[in-house]
């Protein structure tokens, strides 16, 4: 129901409408993404693009996300993701929209496209790459083994990817997630999600400032059971790191791409 009118500007609320879906990755309940074949991962990517198109026809924001593992609050052990479509732009989307718009206005190039080119040249924080994609531990990372998945060309939304880019996306996801599992030889927990240009009414607007990307936020720090906690100083002042992005990238980069199982 819509909230009542506020009697003070410090107490404001607005209605939220949307659709929530759950998408299982595979009929087998013990098969996570890095253990699936490339055609099976490609089928997941195709479904993501289809859902973004379908729900994005009506809703401004379609958030695809995966909470993997009990450590990340996943209550259903069957590997799956969720898709939430909303009638408004969430906080993270608003922040990314504003910063990317400002960068394009000031520098004439999409921020994350320029960032990907810089990281590809520097290679200090590069984890894996192929002809169409690269994965880096971002310069601003707060979680120990946080990564950012970026396309090499300017792409606004998942549904804008070519067939070749979807195939190479399946490959680089498998490589990254295998490295994650190999790090502590455990089915690596994380929360991940896709961010792309808003949809719905924004489909008719200029969204060139947006660049499609995916965030991976894994909680593990030193072992399969020792996690990073965002507490104390992080909650009250600013995030601090237990290892640098360069150290995290080097450790992930040096891991084999053959799954430990």
């Amino acid at each position: 129901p819509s909230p009542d009118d506020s009697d003070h500007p410090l107490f404001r609320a607005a209605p939220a409408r949307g659709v929530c879906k759950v998408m299982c990755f595979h009929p087998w309940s013990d098969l996570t993404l890095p253990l699936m074949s490339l055609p099976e991962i490609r089928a997941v990517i195709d479904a993501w693009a289809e859902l973004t198109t379908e729900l994005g026809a009506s809703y401004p924001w379609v958030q695809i996300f995966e909470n993997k593992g009990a450590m990340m609050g996943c209550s259903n052990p069957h590997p799956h993701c969720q898709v939430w479509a909303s009638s408004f732009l969430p906080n993270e989307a608003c922040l990314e929209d504003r910063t990317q718009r400002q960068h394009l206005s000031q520098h004439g190039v999409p921020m994350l496209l320029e960032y990907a080119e810089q990281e590809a040249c520097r290679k200090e924080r590069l984890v894996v790459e192929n002809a169409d994609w690269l994965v880096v531990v971002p310069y601003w990372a707060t979680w120990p083994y946080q990564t950012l998945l970026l396309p090499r060309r300017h792409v606004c939304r998942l549904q804008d990817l070519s067939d070749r880019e979807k195939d190479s996306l399946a490959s680089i996801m498998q490589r990254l997630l295998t490295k994650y599992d190999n790090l502590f030889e455990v089915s690596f927990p994380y929360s991940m999600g896709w961010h792309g240009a808003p949809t719905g009414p924004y489909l008719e607007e200029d969204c060139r400032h947006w660049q499609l990307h995916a965030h991976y936020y894994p909680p593990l720090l030193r072992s399969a059971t020792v996690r990073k906690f965002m507490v104390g100083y992080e909650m009250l002042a600013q995030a601090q790191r237990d290892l640098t992005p360069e150290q995290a990238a080097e450790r992930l980069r040096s891991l084999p791409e053959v799954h430990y199982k």
Side-chain angles (χ1 to χ4, degrees):
S2 297
D4 296 330
D5 292 336
S6 173
D7 60 356
H8 194 282
L10 292 180
F11 303 95
R12 293 181 298 171
R17 304 281 184 264
V19 173
C20 300
K21 293 179 180 287
V22 174
M23 187 179 86
C24 291
F25 292 147
H26 195 278
W28 295 359
S29 61
D30 61 345
L31 210 60
T32 57
L33 283 169
L35 298 175
M36 289 164 53
S37 69
L38 291 179
E40 289 168 340
I41 299 173
R42 169 64 196 266
V44 171
I45 294 167
D46 286 338
W48 284 343
E50 290 165 8
L51 282 168
T52 304
T53 301
E54 173 193 335
L55 297 172
S58 305
Y59 293 99
W61 191 253
V62 181
Q63 183 60 66
I64 297 168
F65 65 97
E66 178 192 3
N67 295 322
K68 182 188 175 195
M71 192 177 287
M72 297 309 292
C74 181
S75 57
N76 182 353
H78 193 129
H80 68 282
C81 71
Q82 297 183 56
V83 184
W84 291 12
S86 62
S87 60
F88 61 94
L89 291 188
N91 291 346
E92 289 293 315
C94 286
L95 177 61
E96 289 196 359
D97 184 71
R98 184 169 67 251
T99 54
Q100 290 181 100
R101 188 183 299 274
Q102 289 172 349
H103 189 91
L104 181 65
S105 174
Q106 293 171 7
H107 302 281
V109 61
M111 181 175 68
L112 289 179
L113 182 61
E114 182 178 5
Y115 177 70
E117 292 170 351
Q118 285 290 316
E119 290 286 27
C121 291
R122 295 169 185 261
K123 298 192 181 301
E124 302 166 280
R125 289 166 292 274
L126 188 66
V127 178
V128 289
E129 62 179 332
N130 61 25
D132 302 305
W133 301 86
L134 68 157
V135 176
V136 300
V137 178
Y139 185 72
W140 57 86
T142 54
W143 293 96
Y145 293 101
Q146 177 179 336
T147 55
L148 182 68
L149 172 58
L150 293 160
R152 291 186 183 272
R153 76 171 177 97
H154 187 204
V155 184
C156 289
R157 300 177 178 93
L158 268 170
Q159 57 267 45
D160 298 333
L161 295 174
S162 68
D163 283 340
R164 192 190 86 167
E165 287 169 329
K166 290 176 183 177
D167 284 339
S168 58
L169 175 56
S171 173
I172 205 164
M173 283 174 55
Q174 186 186 63
R175 293 169 64 195
L176 170 64
L177 298 179
T178 295
K179 284 179 178 290
Y180 270 157
D181 282 6
N182 286 345
L183 181 61
F184 299 125
E185 295 194 349
V186 67
S187 186
F188 208 70
Y190 58 75
S191 285
M192 71 80 65
W194 283 99
H195 282 171
T199 49
Y202 294 90
L203 292 170
E204 304 302 319
E205 297 188 9
D206 184 359
C207 290
R208 286 176 300 152
H209 55 291
W210 270 91
Q211 175 74 330
L212 176 70
H213 60 282
H215 297 281
Y216 284 83
Y217 298 127
L220 293 180
L221 175 59
R222 295 189 182 92
S223 72
T225 57
V226 177
R227 64 167 294 166
K228 163 75 176 181
F229 288 96
M230 292 288 186
V231 294
Y233 190 84
E234 286 96 345
M235 294 174 69
L236 295 162
Q238 180 174 317
Q240 62 86 35
R241 290 193 54 92
D242 299 271
L243 69 166
T244 67
E246 293 78 16
Q247 290 170 329
E250 170 59 29
R251 182 152 190 204
L252 289 172
R253 190 165 53 240
S254 65
L255 291 165
E257 294 186 8
V258 176
H259 201 278
Y260 74 93
K261 284 189 174 181

